[in-house]
Structures are given as C-alpha cells and as structure tokens.
C-alpha cells in the first residue's frame, strides 16, 4: 500500500458551492520514495526498490528536481483553474469567472515581479545588492499573490487524488497536452532510481496530485517496463 503524509503549511481555501477546499502554500517539497522507508515530512510514496546493498540498507540519496518547465515541457500553473473548474463541475459562467480571476492575479504577479526586478537592477530595492535581500524582495511578491489566490478561491475544487487528475486529463486534450513531460524525463528519473536515488520534487505548484499523476506515475510505469507514455 502507498503511504501518504501531507504537510499543510498554507492553510485552506474557502469552500465554494460544489467545490472542495484546497490548501495553498508558497513552496512545497514533495519527496517520492520508491523504496520502503519512513514517510518524509511532506509527501512520500513507498514501493519496492530494485537496489539492495550487500551489507544492509544503503544511505538514501535524493535527486531533487523542479517540476514545472523542468520535468514538464511547459509550466502547468495556468492549467490549474481549468482543472479545478472541471473537477468542481462549474457551469460556463462559473468557469469564465474563475478563469478571469486567476488571469487577473497572474497578471498582478508578473507586474509586481517586474517592478521589483526593475527596482533591484536600478539599485533602489531598499536592501542593498545582496542575494538574500533580492530573493526576499521577490519572495514578498510571491507571498502576497499566493494569499490573494487563496482568498479568491479560484483554485478551490482541485483534485485531491492522482486518479482524479488522470481522469480529467484523459477527457481534456488541452490539459493533457499542457501537462506532458519532457521526452526522456521519466526514463532519466527511473534510471537514477535504479542506481539508488530517490526522487524529491521542490515546487511551488499548487496541486501535488498533478505532480504524482504526471511525473511519479510515469516513472513507476517505466520501472514496471511500460516505457514512457
């Protein structure tokens, strides 16, 4: 059986009509352990490992990767409101309103992010030119917009299980295309696992089940001999 433990540092989103709540956090670390080990602090999955040490269990080694635009061909963040809408059963009006709210917040993020970057490059960021100060200034933008996304509930209704994500992707070609992995990604991670590495995903993506469905599922299929598909 798969062991799963989810840390929820971001709090929940407000419930809407026919919509389940979903937690938003600034940054989420997912640890997908394909070997039978204790659950990680955030999210872990256990399955038998093909690697065994002669003198007992070998120390764990972690391959930590980004998800959006690294493992996937494109950033999947813009797909989330449509995915939430389909899973929540929105009518056309509700879906349009949800997508419009998300689009406005997305534009606000890019506007504020650009303003902070321009100020930093101009030397007026208020914190000198240190890397820590620059990252802190940019992080404040992310934190502010994340709070606005949670308050708006525009992502309420996101699937909570990878099986639900897969059903949505199967019936929506645009979402399926937008969530595709880069060619060779699943093979590379699977080969790393066979060499004794476990997979960790460090991501600000707001839908962990999407990561499990798209990336972890593909790696598991490859390990079972199913190849990438």
């Amino acid at each position: 059986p798969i062991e799963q433990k989810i840390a929820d540092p971001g709090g929940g989103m407000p419930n809407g009509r026919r919509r389940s709540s979903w937690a938003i956090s600034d940054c989420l670390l997912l640890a997908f352990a394909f070997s039978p080990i204790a659950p990680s602090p955030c999210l872990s999955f256990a399955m038998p490992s093909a690697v065994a040490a002669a003198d007992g269990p070998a120390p764990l080694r972690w391959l930590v990767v980004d998800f959006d635009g690294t493992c996937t061909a494109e950033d999947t963040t813009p797909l989330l409101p449509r995915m939430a809408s389909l899973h929540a059963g929105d009518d056309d009006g509700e879906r349009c309103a949800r997508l419009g709210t998300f689009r406005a917040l997305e534009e606000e993020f890019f506007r504020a992010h650009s303003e902070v970057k321009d100020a930093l490059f101009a030397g007026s960021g208020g914190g000198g030119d240190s890397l820590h100060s620059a990252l802190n200034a940019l992080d404040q933008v992310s934190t502010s917009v994340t709070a606005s996304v949670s308050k708006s509930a525009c992502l309420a209704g996101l699937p909570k299980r990878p099986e639900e994500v897969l059903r949505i992707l199967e019936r929506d070609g645009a979402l399926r295309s937008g969530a595709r992995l880069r060619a060779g990604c699943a093979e590379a991670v699977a080969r790393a696992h066979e060499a004794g590495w476990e997979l960790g995903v460090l991501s600000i993506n707001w839908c962990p089940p999407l990561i499990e469905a798209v990336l972890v599922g593909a790696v598991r299929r490859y390990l079972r001999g199913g190849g990438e598909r």
Side-chain angles (χ1 to χ4, degrees):
I2 293 176
E3 293 183 278
Q4 179 171 319
K5 180 180 180 182
I6 300 178
D8 181 13
M13 294 185 73
N15 284 324
R17 182 168 60 88
R18 295 185 287 111
R19 300 174 183 170
S20 59
S21 62
W22 187 255
I24 297 296
S25 61
D26 285 347
C27 186
L28 180 65
L29 173 63
L30 308 182
F32 299 100
F34 294 92
S35 300
I37 63 172
S40 73
C42 291
L43 180 63
S44 69
F45 297 86
M47 63 183 288
S49 173
V51 179
D55 299 324
L60 282 178
R61 297 181 295 175
W62 290 94
L63 173 65
V64 180
V65 300
D66 177 45
F67 178 68
D68 287 298
T70 300
C71 292
T72 60
E74 303 173 11
D75 182 6
T76 66
T77 305
L79 307 179
L80 299 185
R82 178 170 178 81
M83 184 180 298
S85 178
L86 289 172
H87 190 248
D90 288 351
D91 58 32
D92 290 344
E94 290 171 327
R95 181 168 302 133
C96 183
R98 185 196 290 264
L99 295 178
T101 297
F102 185 85
R103 193 175 301 114
L105 291 169
E106 185 179 41
E107 291 172 355
E108 168 62 17
F109 170 79
F110 286 121
R111 182 196 61 76
H113 198 265
S114 294
E115 287 180 355
V116 171
K117 285 198 301 182
D118 290 344
L120 289 170
F121 285 129
S124 59
D129 58 354
S130 71
L131 176 61
H132 183 273
S133 296
L135 292 176
N136 183 60
L138 292 170
D139 190 54
Q140 289 178 15
V141 175
S142 177
T143 300
S144 175
V145 175
T146 295
S148 297
V149 170
S150 291
K151 185 176 180 179
S152 74
C154 64
L155 296 183
L158 278 173
K160 294 186 176 182
R161 296 191 300 273
E163 296 83 3
E164 295 171 336
V165 172
L166 289 173
R167 284 196 291 269
I168 293 173
L169 296 181
E170 286 170 359
R171 75 176 202 253
D172 192 294
L175 289 178
R176 187 168 60 252
S177 176
R180 70 190 185 281
L181 291 177
R182 291 186 183 275
C185 176
E187 177 184 2
V189 174
R191 288 184 180 275
H193 169 67
E194 290 173 336
W197 293 80
E198 302 297 350
L199 171 64
V201 180
L202 184 62
S203 177
I204 59 171
N205 190 289
W206 290 322
C207 188
L210 174 64
I211 298 176
E212 187 187 353
V214 171
L215 176 59
V216 180
V219 173
R220 284 179 169 148
R221 287 193 298 273
Y222 196 94
L223 289 170
R224 291 196 297 263
E228 293 194 50
R229 54 186 176 87

